[in-house]
Amino acid sequence: MRVTLLGTGCPQVSTDRYGPANLLRWGDRQFLIDCGSGVTQRLLGASSAGKLIDAVLLTHLHSDHIIDLFQLIISSWHQGRDRPQRIYGPVGTRQYLKGLMALWQPELAQRIAHEKRPSTIALDLDITEVEPGAIIHDGDLTVIAVPVRHQPVKAAFGYVFTDGRRKVAFSGDTAFCPELIQAAKDADALVHECFIHREMLALPGRSPETLANVASYHTLSTEVGKVANQAHVGCLILNHFVPVIFDRTALLADIRADYAGPVLIGEDLMDFDTATRTISHAGGVIALPQS
Ligand SMILES: [Zn+2]
Ligand SMILES: [Zn+2]
């Protein structure tokens, strides 16, 4: 099982940290978790492409997680995708996609008629609105949807991939979530969001009230080490940094207060292979001790 961080940022615009998205590869299967800004470019950077994705899993319908979903659908078609796009997401996903495709229908109709590409099957959407529990069975692989705490967002999920040997958990967006800790127990890797409160305090134009509201539905940098410790994960991979620029040493100190295991401060296109326990990024490779 191999995780590639495609976008480690948040709604804040950054040339280094694109919008939230992750790729999970299992054998020849490829699962895309969220479609933040720049996801299609990052997929190519990870030697993948929209046309190769077996399923898209949306954690929730906040704009930063779905803003490039249409771009993914269209670029997959242009890449010659030969099957419908399978999309899993919370309740509301079907209505969102219906509206999204309707909005673009005139442009699409004209393009289809004019360009006469061999197939439009890539524009067909196979949509599943997710309930808690197992949502995908594929050979030994099971994908479990875990309701997380992102209120006032009504439906938000983390996703756990397991094949009986390896296990990877994605938090999605959540405040400290005991249910996620339970679901991620003993995972080889936990990919978790991270809200760095001290850095936000320094940003101009953010009142204490707006900061408190945003902090309330995310996991603070001083909490995420507790999550990793209680879940007893083999590796903590941080992503979805709010804000996108921060003091890495101070962040590590926050984590180390609670969690002694391997910690990755995620970067776009960083890759973790659970089988070899290697981390690859920008041409470098690090091997972690076997767990
Ligand atoms: Zn969110
Ligand atoms: Zn988010």
Side-chain angles (χ1 to χ4, degrees):
M1 226 175 262
R2 193 173 146 208
V3 183
T4 307
L5 308 180
L6 298 175
T8 59
C10 62
Q12 190 183 0
V13 178
S14 166
T15 52
D16 296 324
R17 298 190 183 280
Y18 284 16
N22 296 291
L23 182 65
L24 186 293
R25 283 179 266 213
W26 181 76
D28 64 356
R29 300 290 200 274
Q30 302 199 37
F31 299 91
L32 176 62
I33 299 104
D34 286 335
C35 289
S37 177
V39 66
T40 53
Q41 290 87 342
R42 286 293 192 237
L43 278 169
L44 291 190
S47 304
S48 180
K51 73 169 181 179
L52 301 175
I53 298 299
D54 292 289
V56 178
L57 282 70
L58 305 175
T59 59
H60 62 304
L61 300 180
H62 263 160
S63 59
D64 51 322
H65 296 254
I66 58 173
I67 196 74
D68 268 9
L69 182 52
F70 186 75
Q71 160 68 3
L72 178 87
I73 294 164
I74 296 305
S75 63
S76 301
W77 173 46
H78 288 174
Q79 290 161 356
R81 185 179 173 88
D82 59 1
R83 54 195 162 135
Q85 199 71 258
R86 283 167 73 203
I87 301 173
Y88 294 77
V91 63
T93 299
R94 195 179 304 281
Q95 187 190 357
Y96 172 74
L97 280 164
K98 192 175 163 199
L100 185 67
M101 298 309 280
L103 192 66
W104 285 99
Q105 199 278 332
E107 191 269 357
L108 260 182
Q110 185 189 59
R111 190 184 283 268
I112 290 165
H114 184 65
E115 296 185 5
K116 296 188 168 52
R117 290 169 187 264
S119 167
T120 57
I121 197 166
L123 300 174
D124 291 348
L125 306 181
D126 177 0
I127 303 165
T128 302
E129 292 196 335
V130 166
E131 298 287 336
I135 57 167
I136 294 175
H137 293 285
D138 185 348
D140 290 341
L141 182 72
T142 302
V143 184
I144 298 160
V146 183
V148 292
R149 301 187 178 192
H150 198 43
Q151 288 82 4
V153 176
K154 284 200 177 72
F157 292 98
Y159 292 110
V160 177
F161 291 73
T162 178
D163 64 4
R165 295 176 298 281
R166 302 291 177 183
K167 180 172 172 180
V168 174
F170 296 88
S171 70
D173 281 14
T174 183
F176 184 90
C177 181
E179 297 79 14
L180 177 72
I181 292 172
Q182 187 60 36
K185 269 273 184 302
D186 297 318
D188 295 274
L190 169 63
V191 182
H192 205 292
E193 66 129 282
C194 187
F195 185 90
I196 311 161
H197 202 258
R198 97 174 87 29
E199 306 278 358
M200 295 296 283
L201 292 171
L203 291 181
R206 299 302 298 258
S207 71
E209 188 192 4
T210 66
L211 280 182
N213 287 345
V214 179
S216 73
Y217 65 2
H218 288 293
T219 301
L220 305 185
S221 56
T222 48
E223 295 176 313
V224 69
K226 295 178 176 64
V227 175
N229 181 46
Q230 290 177 28
H232 195 252
V233 295
C235 182
L236 173 62
I237 303 174
L238 297 174
N239 73 345
H240 195 299
F241 296 101
V242 184
V244 292
I245 296 172
F246 51 88
D247 180 334
R248 288 170 168 78
T249 307
L251 172 59
L252 273 179
D254 287 345
I255 309 303
R256 278 289 173 250
D258 298 297
Y259 176 66
V263 181
L264 274 66
I265 294 182
E267 304 290 338
D268 286 20
L269 296 177
M270 187 179 269
D271 186 286
F272 179 66
D273 188 328
T274 60
T276 56
R277 285 180 62 77
T278 50
I279 300 149
S280 310
H281 182 58
V285 182
I286 298 170
L288 299 181
Q290 294 293 330
S291 58

